[in-house]
Amino acid sequence: MNKIRLGVNIDHVATVRNARGESYPDPLRAAILAQKSGADSITIHLREDRRHIKDSDLKKIKKKLKIPLNLEMAPTKEMLNIAIKNKPNYVCIVPEKRKEITTEGGLNVKKNKKNLKRIINELKKRKIRVSLFVEPQVSDIRLSKILGANCVELHTGKFSNLFHKNNRINLSLMNLKKSAIYAKQLGLEVHAGHGLTYKSAHHVAKIKSISELNIGHFIISESLFVGMTKSIKRFRKIINK
Ligand code: PXP
């Protein structure tokens, strides 16, 4: 059995809270419930515009959580300082554009290599596991290894979009698979995520070189109907089949 870890992204609990400027639903409560329901780690993305997770959420969650906390962040000085101060177990460096609805693509590793190398070094010095969110393509994966990242997280957005449109997924899935094998051969730990649902995660989880999936929007959406515990448990079953 391919035992894949499940990281649960709880950003959109904060989105609902912020829509009314209230104190509920509380992302900390979601993190603790996800932990209890079988999540292997909790992911939060502290965006530069703080549109969902806030600095206070990061502090509270880090203090109370028993499983690893994975902080997604843009490669900026501000975010590096926040990570150093709060010491999440993992950091996943992601690109950020103010006007995007979600993280629409992987990092431009080549363009940012100097900055990324410095940030990776600073985080690794503090024993924080560093992952780069990249497109499933050889050049970015190879460069991630050269820059010293521990892991790559392959962006599954394109695959998910094709999947949901009932388009041909074979090429895209094959590309994910080839990229995952290549990354693992280089000695990188391989993660994947973005836009995954029960059905699409089932295909991605069959790729043996992948050891972690990070899933958020669909879990929070399903939680409205079946609750977070059921949704997480169902994902666990699907990805460990
Ligand atoms: N992985 C990374 C690096 C992300 O930026 C996101 C979105 O925040 C996810 C996984 C989860 O994507 P989704 O919310 O679409 O499941």
Side-chain angles (χ1 to χ4, degrees), residues 15-39:
T15 305
V16 175
R17 174 193 62 190
N18 299 353
R20 294 290 291 267
E22 290 290 351
S23 58
Y24 61 84
D26 183 1
L28 172 63
R29 188 173 170 196
I32 300 297
L33 181 59
Q35 170 179 273
K36 213 169 135 192
S37 308

PDB file of all heavy atoms in Angstrom, residues 15-39:
ATOM      1  N   THR A  15     -11.573  32.133   5.649  1.00  0.00           N
ATOM      2  CA  THR A  15     -12.290  32.921   4.628  1.00  0.00           C
ATOM      3  C   THR A  15     -13.731  33.166   5.083  1.00  0.00           C
ATOM      4  O   THR A  15     -14.244  34.276   4.973  1.00  0.00           O
ATOM      5  CB  THR A  15     -12.308  32.152   3.272  1.00  0.00           C
ATOM      6  OG1 THR A  15     -10.976  31.840   2.912  1.00  0.00           O
ATOM      7  CG2 THR A  15     -12.949  32.971   2.175  1.00  0.00           C
ATOM      8  N   VAL A  16     -14.364  32.108   5.608  1.00  0.00           N
ATOM      9  CA  VAL A  16     -15.763  32.238   6.052  1.00  0.00           C
ATOM     10  C   VAL A  16     -15.834  33.190   7.252  1.00  0.00           C
ATOM     11  O   VAL A  16     -16.694  34.073   7.326  1.00  0.00           O
ATOM     12  CB  VAL A  16     -16.353  30.846   6.411  1.00  0.00           C
ATOM     13  CG1 VAL A  16     -17.757  30.983   6.974  1.00  0.00           C
ATOM     14  CG2 VAL A  16     -16.354  29.940   5.188  1.00  0.00           C
ATOM     15  N   ARG A  17     -14.909  33.022   8.165  1.00  0.00           N
ATOM     16  CA  ARG A  17     -14.881  33.915   9.343  1.00  0.00           C
ATOM     17  C   ARG A  17     -14.751  35.373   8.901  1.00  0.00           C
ATOM     18  O   ARG A  17     -15.511  36.247   9.332  1.00  0.00           O
ATOM     19  CB  ARG A  17     -13.699  33.548  10.240  1.00  0.00           C
ATOM     20  CG  ARG A  17     -13.514  34.516  11.405  1.00  0.00           C
ATOM     21  CD  ARG A  17     -12.177  34.345  12.085  1.00  0.00           C
ATOM     22  NE  ARG A  17     -11.060  34.632  11.175  1.00  0.00           N
ATOM     23  CZ  ARG A  17      -9.791  34.372  11.452  1.00  0.00           C
ATOM     24  NH1 ARG A  17      -9.474  33.810  12.587  1.00  0.00           N
ATOM     25  NH2 ARG A  17      -8.840  34.678  10.580  1.00  0.00           N
ATOM     26  N   ASN A  18     -13.795  35.606   7.992  1.00  0.00           N
ATOM     27  CA  ASN A  18     -13.499  36.987   7.614  1.00  0.00           C
ATOM     28  C   ASN A  18     -14.620  37.640   6.803  1.00  0.00           C
ATOM     29  O   ASN A  18     -14.725  38.857   6.761  1.00  0.00           O
ATOM     30  CB  ASN A  18     -12.190  37.054   6.817  1.00  0.00           C
ATOM     31  CG  ASN A  18     -10.996  36.559   7.630  1.00  0.00           C
ATOM     32  OD1 ASN A  18     -11.115  36.294   8.821  1.00  0.00           O
ATOM     33  ND2 ASN A  18      -9.849  36.422   6.992  1.00  0.00           N
ATOM     34  N   ALA A  19     -15.459  36.783   6.172  1.00  0.00           N
ATOM     35  CA  ALA A  19     -16.552  37.330   5.357  1.00  0.00           C
ATOM     36  C   ALA A  19     -17.488  38.185   6.199  1.00  0.00           C
ATOM     37  O   ALA A  19     -18.139  39.104   5.684  1.00  0.00           O
ATOM     38  CB  ALA A  19     -17.327  36.181   4.708  1.00  0.00           C
ATOM     39  N   ARG A  20     -17.573  37.876   7.505  1.00  0.00           N
ATOM     40  CA  ARG A  20     -18.445  38.663   8.371  1.00  0.00           C
ATOM     41  C   ARG A  20     -17.687  39.408   9.463  1.00  0.00           C
ATOM     42  O   ARG A  20     -18.308  40.018  10.330  1.00  0.00           O
ATOM     43  CB  ARG A  20     -19.492  37.737   9.016  1.00  0.00           C
ATOM     44  CG  ARG A  20     -20.472  37.135   8.047  1.00  0.00           C
ATOM     45  CD  ARG A  20     -21.432  38.177   7.489  1.00  0.00           C
ATOM     46  NE  ARG A  20     -22.340  38.636   8.510  1.00  0.00           N
ATOM     47  CZ  ARG A  20     -23.542  38.111   8.725  1.00  0.00           C
ATOM     48  NH1 ARG A  20     -23.981  37.143   7.955  1.00  0.00           N
ATOM     49  NH2 ARG A  20     -24.309  38.562   9.684  1.00  0.00           N
ATOM     50  N   GLY A  21     -16.384  39.292   9.437  1.00  0.00           N
ATOM     51  CA  GLY A  21     -15.583  39.987  10.450  1.00  0.00           C
ATOM     52  C   GLY A  21     -15.869  39.480  11.854  1.00  0.00           C
ATOM     53  O   GLY A  21     -15.715  40.206  12.837  1.00  0.00           O
ATOM     54  N   GLU A  22     -16.303  38.226  11.951  1.00  0.00           N
ATOM     55  CA  GLU A  22     -16.612  37.662  13.271  1.00  0.00           C
ATOM     56  C   GLU A  22     -15.409  36.878  13.802  1.00  0.00           C
ATOM     57  O   GLU A  22     -14.372  36.809  13.166  1.00  0.00           O
ATOM     58  CB  GLU A  22     -17.805  36.697  13.135  1.00  0.00           C
ATOM     59  CG  GLU A  22     -19.129  37.358  12.838  1.00  0.00           C
ATOM     60  CD  GLU A  22     -19.654  38.161  14.025  1.00  0.00           C
ATOM     61  OE1 GLU A  22     -19.076  38.065  15.125  1.00  0.00           O
ATOM     62  OE2 GLU A  22     -20.652  38.880  13.837  1.00  0.00           O
ATOM     63  N   SER A  23     -15.588  36.247  14.955  1.00  0.00           N
ATOM     64  CA  SER A  23     -14.493  35.437  15.489  1.00  0.00           C
ATOM     65  C   SER A  23     -14.715  33.949  15.188  1.00  0.00           C
ATOM     66  O   SER A  23     -13.928  33.121  15.590  1.00  0.00           O
ATOM     67  CB  SER A  23     -14.401  35.651  17.007  1.00  0.00           C
ATOM     68  OG  SER A  23     -15.636  35.315  17.589  1.00  0.00           O
ATOM     69  N   TYR A  24     -15.789  33.638  14.507  1.00  0.00           N
ATOM     70  CA  TYR A  24     -16.089  32.254  14.143  1.00  0.00           C
ATOM     71  C   TYR A  24     -16.363  32.140  12.651  1.00  0.00           C
ATOM     72  O   TYR A  24     -16.774  33.139  12.047  1.00  0.00           O
ATOM     73  CB  TYR A  24     -17.308  31.748  14.936  1.00  0.00           C
ATOM     74  CG  TYR A  24     -18.562  32.559  14.662  1.00  0.00           C
ATOM     75  CD1 TYR A  24     -19.375  32.274  13.559  1.00  0.00           C
ATOM     76  CD2 TYR A  24     -18.919  33.644  15.478  1.00  0.00           C
ATOM     77  CE1 TYR A  24     -20.495  33.036  13.300  1.00  0.00           C
ATOM     78  CE2 TYR A  24     -20.045  34.398  15.207  1.00  0.00           C
ATOM     79  CZ  TYR A  24     -20.820  34.101  14.124  1.00  0.00           C
ATOM     80  OH  TYR A  24     -21.932  34.859  13.849  1.00  0.00           O
ATOM     81  N   PRO A  25     -16.173  30.987  12.035  1.00  0.00           N
ATOM     82  CA  PRO A  25     -15.578  29.770  12.597  1.00  0.00           C
ATOM     83  C   PRO A  25     -14.084  29.973  12.852  1.00  0.00           C
ATOM     84  O   PRO A  25     -13.410  30.670  12.109  1.00  0.00           O
ATOM     85  CB  PRO A  25     -15.807  28.718  11.501  1.00  0.00           C
ATOM     86  CG  PRO A  25     -15.912  29.502  10.226  1.00  0.00           C
ATOM     87  CD  PRO A  25     -16.511  30.818  10.589  1.00  0.00           C
ATOM     88  N   ASP A  26     -13.589  29.330  13.918  1.00  0.00           N
ATOM     89  CA  ASP A  26     -12.222  29.549  14.356  1.00  0.00           C
ATOM     90  C   ASP A  26     -11.266  28.553  13.685  1.00  0.00           C
ATOM     91  O   ASP A  26     -11.416  27.346  13.856  1.00  0.00           O
ATOM     92  CB  ASP A  26     -12.190  29.376  15.886  1.00  0.00           C
ATOM     93  CG  ASP A  26     -10.814  29.655  16.470  1.00  0.00           C
ATOM     94  OD1 ASP A  26      -9.887  29.997  15.699  1.00  0.00           O
ATOM     95  OD2 ASP A  26     -10.663  29.522  17.701  1.00  0.00           O
ATOM     96  N   PRO A  27     -10.274  29.031  12.942  1.00  0.00           N
ATOM     97  CA  PRO A  27      -9.330  28.112  12.296  1.00  0.00           C
ATOM     98  C   PRO A  27      -8.613  27.194  13.293  1.00  0.00           C
ATOM     99  O   PRO A  27      -8.287  26.055  12.955  1.00  0.00           O
ATOM    100  CB  PRO A  27      -8.336  29.043  11.598  1.00  0.00           C
ATOM    101  CG  PRO A  27      -9.100  30.302  11.371  1.00  0.00           C
ATOM    102  CD  PRO A  27     -10.029  30.429  12.541  1.00  0.00           C
ATOM    103  N   LEU A  28      -8.400  27.664  14.502  1.00  0.00           N
ATOM    104  CA  LEU A  28      -7.753  26.795  15.500  1.00  0.00           C
ATOM    105  C   LEU A  28      -8.643  25.589  15.794  1.00  0.00           C
ATOM    106  O   LEU A  28      -8.174  24.453  15.866  1.00  0.00           O
ATOM    107  CB  LEU A  28      -7.466  27.580  16.794  1.00  0.00           C
ATOM    108  CG  LEU A  28      -6.977  26.728  17.970  1.00  0.00           C
ATOM    109  CD1 LEU A  28      -5.644  26.058  17.663  1.00  0.00           C
ATOM    110  CD2 LEU A  28      -6.858  27.565  19.247  1.00  0.00           C
ATOM    111  N   ARG A  29      -9.933  25.848  15.939  1.00  0.00           N
ATOM    112  CA  ARG A  29     -10.864  24.741  16.201  1.00  0.00           C
ATOM    113  C   ARG A  29     -10.838  23.746  15.038  1.00  0.00           C
ATOM    114  O   ARG A  29     -10.843  22.525  15.233  1.00  0.00           O
ATOM    115  CB  ARG A  29     -12.272  25.315  16.394  1.00  0.00           C
ATOM    116  CG  ARG A  29     -13.267  24.295  16.842  1.00  0.00           C
ATOM    117  CD  ARG A  29     -14.590  24.951  17.170  1.00  0.00           C
ATOM    118  NE  ARG A  29     -15.620  23.961  17.383  1.00  0.00           N
ATOM    119  CZ  ARG A  29     -16.910  24.229  17.381  1.00  0.00           C
ATOM    120  NH1 ARG A  29     -17.340  25.468  17.194  1.00  0.00           N
ATOM    121  NH2 ARG A  29     -17.787  23.274  17.585  1.00  0.00           N
ATOM    122  N   ALA A  30     -10.763  24.281  13.820  1.00  0.00           N
ATOM    123  CA  ALA A  30     -10.698  23.412  12.635  1.00  0.00           C
ATOM    124  C   ALA A  30      -9.404  22.606  12.637  1.00  0.00           C
ATOM    125  O   ALA A  30      -9.401  21.408  12.312  1.00  0.00           O
ATOM    126  CB  ALA A  30     -10.794  24.259  11.370  1.00  0.00           C
ATOM    127  N   ALA A  31      -8.317  23.243  13.014  1.00  0.00           N
ATOM    128  CA  ALA A  31      -7.018  22.542  13.028  1.00  0.00           C
ATOM    129  C   ALA A  31      -7.046  21.394  14.026  1.00  0.00           C
ATOM    130  O   ALA A  31      -6.596  20.280  13.730  1.00  0.00           O
ATOM    131  CB  ALA A  31      -5.902  23.526  13.376  1.00  0.00           C
ATOM    132  N   ILE A  32      -7.614  21.647  15.186  1.00  0.00           N
ATOM    133  CA  ILE A  32      -7.657  20.607  16.226  1.00  0.00           C
ATOM    134  C   ILE A  32      -8.589  19.461  15.802  1.00  0.00           C
ATOM    135  O   ILE A  32      -8.286  18.288  16.000  1.00  0.00           O
ATOM    136  CB  ILE A  32      -8.112  21.212  17.590  1.00  0.00           C
ATOM    137  CG1 ILE A  32      -7.132  22.319  18.038  1.00  0.00           C
ATOM    138  CG2 ILE A  32      -8.281  20.147  18.669  1.00  0.00           C
ATOM    139  CD1 ILE A  32      -5.711  21.875  18.304  1.00  0.00           C
ATOM    140  N   LEU A  33      -9.700  19.830  15.181  1.00  0.00           N
ATOM    141  CA  LEU A  33     -10.633  18.793  14.717  1.00  0.00           C
ATOM    142  C   LEU A  33     -10.005  17.966  13.584  1.00  0.00           C
ATOM    143  O   LEU A  33     -10.150  16.734  13.544  1.00  0.00           O
ATOM    144  CB  LEU A  33     -11.948  19.432  14.247  1.00  0.00           C
ATOM    145  CG  LEU A  33     -13.026  18.461  13.764  1.00  0.00           C
ATOM    146  CD1 LEU A  33     -13.411  17.459  14.848  1.00  0.00           C
ATOM    147  CD2 LEU A  33     -14.278  19.217  13.305  1.00  0.00           C
ATOM    148  N   ALA A  34      -9.283  18.629  12.687  1.00  0.00           N
ATOM    149  CA  ALA A  34      -8.619  17.915  11.585  1.00  0.00           C
ATOM    150  C   ALA A  34      -7.573  16.957  12.155  1.00  0.00           C
ATOM    151  O   ALA A  34      -7.436  15.819  11.701  1.00  0.00           O
ATOM    152  CB  ALA A  34      -7.974  18.905  10.621  1.00  0.00           C
ATOM    153  N   GLN A  35      -6.866  17.424  13.159  1.00  0.00           N
ATOM    154  CA  GLN A  35      -5.857  16.575  13.823  1.00  0.00           C
ATOM    155  C   GLN A  35      -6.523  15.326  14.399  1.00  0.00           C
ATOM    156  O   GLN A  35      -6.057  14.201  14.200  1.00  0.00           O
ATOM    157  CB  GLN A  35      -5.189  17.405  14.921  1.00  0.00           C
ATOM    158  CG  GLN A  35      -4.289  16.657  15.872  1.00  0.00           C
ATOM    159  CD  GLN A  35      -3.669  17.615  16.894  1.00  0.00           C
ATOM    160  OE1 GLN A  35      -2.643  18.211  16.658  1.00  0.00           O
ATOM    161  NE2 GLN A  35      -4.311  17.756  18.041  1.00  0.00           N
ATOM    162  N   LYS A  36      -7.647  15.546  15.070  1.00  0.00           N
ATOM    163  CA  LYS A  36      -8.369  14.441  15.693  1.00  0.00           C
ATOM    164  C   LYS A  36      -8.951  13.490  14.639  1.00  0.00           C
ATOM    165  O   LYS A  36      -9.105  12.289  14.875  1.00  0.00           O
ATOM    166  CB  LYS A  36      -9.527  15.046  16.506  1.00  0.00           C
ATOM    167  CG  LYS A  36      -9.875  14.292  17.762  1.00  0.00           C
ATOM    168  CD  LYS A  36     -10.820  15.112  18.603  1.00  0.00           C
ATOM    169  CE  LYS A  36     -11.944  14.260  19.116  1.00  0.00           C
ATOM    170  NZ  LYS A  36     -13.028  15.065  19.687  1.00  0.00           N
ATOM    171  N   SER A  37      -9.235  14.028  13.469  1.00  0.00           N
ATOM    172  CA  SER A  37      -9.884  13.229  12.414  1.00  0.00           C
ATOM    173  C   SER A  37      -8.901  12.466  11.537  1.00  0.00           C
ATOM    174  O   SER A  37      -9.297  11.806  10.589  1.00  0.00           O
ATOM    175  CB  SER A  37     -10.731  14.138  11.529  1.00  0.00           C
ATOM    176  OG  SER A  37     -11.597  14.906  12.306  1.00  0.00           O
ATOM    177  N   GLY A  38      -7.599  12.623  11.807  1.00  0.00           N
ATOM    178  CA  GLY A  38      -6.628  11.820  11.066  1.00  0.00           C
ATOM    179  C   GLY A  38      -5.717  12.576  10.121  1.00  0.00           C
ATOM    180  O   GLY A  38      -4.983  11.953   9.349  1.00  0.00           O
ATOM    181  N   ALA A  39      -5.742  13.906  10.165  1.00  0.00           N
ATOM    182  CA  ALA A  39      -4.803  14.667   9.322  1.00  0.00           C
ATOM    183  C   ALA A  39      -3.383  14.408   9.827  1.00  0.00           C
ATOM    184  O   ALA A  39      -3.165  14.246  11.030  1.00  0.00           O
ATOM    185  CB  ALA A  39      -5.111  16.162   9.406  1.00  0.00           C
TER     186      ALA A  39
END
